[in-house]
Amino acid sequence: MLPGRLCWVPLLLALGVGSGSGGGGDSRRRRLLAAKVNKHKPWIETSYHGVITENNDTVILDPPLVALDKDAPVPFAGEICAFKIHGQELPFEAVVLNKTSGEGRLRAKSPIDCELQKEYTFIIQAYDCGAGPRETAWKKSHKAVVHIQVKDVNEFAPTFKEPAYKAVVTEGKIYDSILQVEAADEDCSPQYSQICNYEIVTTDVPFAIDRNGNIRNTEKLSYDKQRQYEILVTAYDCGQKPAAQDTLVQVDVKPVCKPGWQDWAKRIEYQPGSGSMPLFPSIHLETCDGAVSSLQITAELQTNYIGKGCDRETYSEKSLQKLCGASSGIIDLLPSPSAATNWTAGLLVDSSEMIFKFDGRQGAKIPDGIVPKNLTDQFTITMWMKHGPSPGVRAEKETILCNSDKTEMNRHHYALYVHNCRLVFLLRKDFDQADTFRPAEFHWKLDQICDKEWHYYVINVEFPVVTLYMDGATYEPYLVTNDWPIHPSHIAMQLTVGACWQGGEVTKPRFAQFFHGSLASLTIRPGKMESQKVISCLQACKEGLDINSLESLGQGIKYHFNPSQSTLVMEGDDVGNIDRALQKVSYINSRQFPTAGVRRLKVSSKVQCFGEDVCISIPDIDAYVMVLQAIEPRITLRGTDSFWRPAAQFESARGVVLFPDIKIVSTFAKAEAPGDVKTTAPKSAVLEEMLHNLDFCDILVLGGDLDPRQECLELNHSELHQRHLDATNSTAGYSIYGVGSMSRYEQVLHHIHYRNWRPASLEARRFRIKCSELNGRYPSNEFNVEVSVLHEVRVSDKEHVNHLIVQPPFLQSVHHPEARSSTQRSAVVPSIATVVIIISVCMLVFVVAMGVYRVRIAHQHFIQEAEAAKEAEMDWDDSALTITVNPMEKHEEPGRGEDETEGEEEEEEVEEDISSSSSDSDDSEDEEEEEVVGRGRHGQSGARQAQLEWDDSTLSY
């Protein structure tokens, strides 16, 4: 086309275009000429294809952007002045690079983002320069279509759609795909937006992943080996750019589905005092999609090795009988060994539970007078017994209780024994003119007799009917045999426990038919039978199974407890309801101080299925309840430990109150965490008071037993009965027993009096008190009390005052220097004139008058102090104080200096205090005291013959 342009040149020259002459006229002519010669439109291609890389401004077009005009080479008319793009808000512009050649360029006005728009299509036109540079008479080309594609840059990394993935697999299986992870890329191109690969970052795991994100296991997994795996997975796009953050894949391994109970703990800890505690709060039954039609659940609490088969109160049998409302008159045949009940001292004893173990070589004789010789037609025998199969091929009788002839013969009047796992009660009535057969032996055949477990037995006798209660259930004898009555004789009888006394038919009397097993709480109640309510109370257990919120069990659940609540049976036809019911089963122990240790727990299940001969089998639950050690209390007795009382108070009908202000306090140590958790100092213990019961307090006389001819301990029985306590009294002391609160025992102890009809020969009496909870399991401290007799000082006319018994230690002795000095002067100068005699008489009269005055003042002061001491119960301990009279002070040593005189003056003041505090309380005694003072001073010429000397060798500082 360039040659075409050159063809116009001669024509333009012929017309005179381009001549240099004419100035302005030439310019005007040139414009006119251009207007005449701009006959053609510019020409461009009809379509263009371009590519631009995002975040760049250069567009590469195919073909290049060039516009042609046939009017060339005429200036303006043949030149290209512009390319214009049609469209709104397009991020492109076209510029002219060379007007003459018509070359142009397409570029971006702002950064191009492929993720916002991948392609652009618009219209473009070229414009020639027309008549001049001012856009006059421009001609435009036809419209050309421009299509531009945005080239992507890999600027985004893959991201996973989930931050973490979780799957559950069953052990022992190989999975083609456990789960699939998926990542995405925000780039716009297929190359950079597609995920081309996944990779497991965690090493040494039995898993693999394919390019689609499917995870599989490379080996069989074991639940016992590892129950959970955590692996990290990353992703790559097709530009090999890795994911910005790895994802976590958690794979849980579950065992092969086996029907059974899930989510229960084998060890269940029970804190004493926490009430009812759920045993299986989250338990549920896995049936492995079995078609279950009904379920029967049996929960058993096994406590046969705790105490007497269960956690029962360890109070004495008498206390338990009283707590249960049993009738009075019960005789304990196996009491705790003591001075009064010494027949059990030689037996093997478990002191914590008062259990006596018999090994086939021991027996105990019950002293005469403990049990009446002849029982009435009504009586009751109770006992706890644990017994196993009898030893040996040929089993012999094993005697529990036996009343036989002491000498000469070998008749058994009544006995209770075990023979071949049968319990036999023998009762031979005496001959009473009716020589006929009577029921004599009653046999019970029970499996529990030889199961080596504890059971509670009660034999109620209402002759000729004998009824056995075992663990609260009634059993009639399966065999009753008759025998002749025993003819009366004068042979004494011997009651024994653990064996039978064979007094006749042998060379030497001995025990026979020994018992093998354990016994506890063996009692006999002559004259009355126990009620069913009392029997149930005596064998009741303090621990057992319980159900929280019976209302929420659901109507489809049936349940049943055994009497001791150690076994629970539940039935239902819905697995979900059974789950919720078993979650409400609890353990409860109502003892304040339960026996610590293990209680085994067994849950068995029976399942019925719909129309199937073979149903699923549910394994038993074997768990245990660990009862933790209770906080042990520390029982402390405190109060006044020594005091003085006048002799008259000992002789009075009320006597002396021994424990006027005794206080019983029980505390336990509670750990307190330090305030600063960073400190390494040990935790401090804080003592807190707790309230509980006591079961006995013993008051022991120290320094020899009481002499019943002149002294005793007394307590009003109404004080005991009001507080439901009992007591025994002897010359060795006083015992208060029975289950009662500490305040009750305090109130009773406040009313114990000591009386002595002859206190003149008594200086002091010492007593010791000790209390206990749970039959000695928690003993108190030993609290000693000493009460002293306050004797009067009486001096005859002829004897001198050489000894003085004072009341409390704050009362000191008084010296009178005036009397002493007058005596000295009389001894030194016996031949002085009448003036000196008159002076001495005057001084004597003065001293007597002063003495009478002081005695009266002292008498009033003493009465006030005695009343105040009785109200406030002030007690003074003078056990370490000794007052000794120095006989050498009857005569003054010569040459005493001023220092000694000053010491005498100080002693005078002390002595004056004593004389003012030691007067008696009776008016007659007050008059005698005046005479004693008068005669004493007058007989000594106004001087004291003896001076008190303090002996502090026994005082501790």
Side-chain angles (χ1 to χ4, degrees), residues 26 139 157 175 242-243 337 488 539 650 665 708 774 785 814:
D26 293 339
K139 288 187 177 182
Y175 290 83
Q539 65 95 31
F650 285 86
V665 178
L774 292 176
V785 172
V814 178

Side-chain angles (χ1 to χ4, degrees), residues 26-45:
D26 293 339
S27 176
R28 181 172 56 84
R29 288 193 297 269
R30 196 179 291 116
R31 286 195 297 271
L32 294 174
L33 179 60
K36 294 180 180 180
V37 298
N38 190 9
K39 297 180 180 180
H40 300 89
K41 298 178 180 179
W43 177 89
I44 57 176
E45 298 288 344

Side-chain angles (χ1 to χ4, degrees), residues 330-333 343 366-375 401 403 414 493 495 523-526:
I330 295 171
I331 302 170
D332 191 357
L333 300 180
W343 66 85
I366 308 298
D368 296 339
I370 300 296
V371 180
K373 180 179 178 180
N374 294 318
L375 298 176
L401 181 66
N403 188 28
Y414 61 88
M493 290 181 287
L495 183 61
T523 68
I524 188 168
R525 169 62 173 91

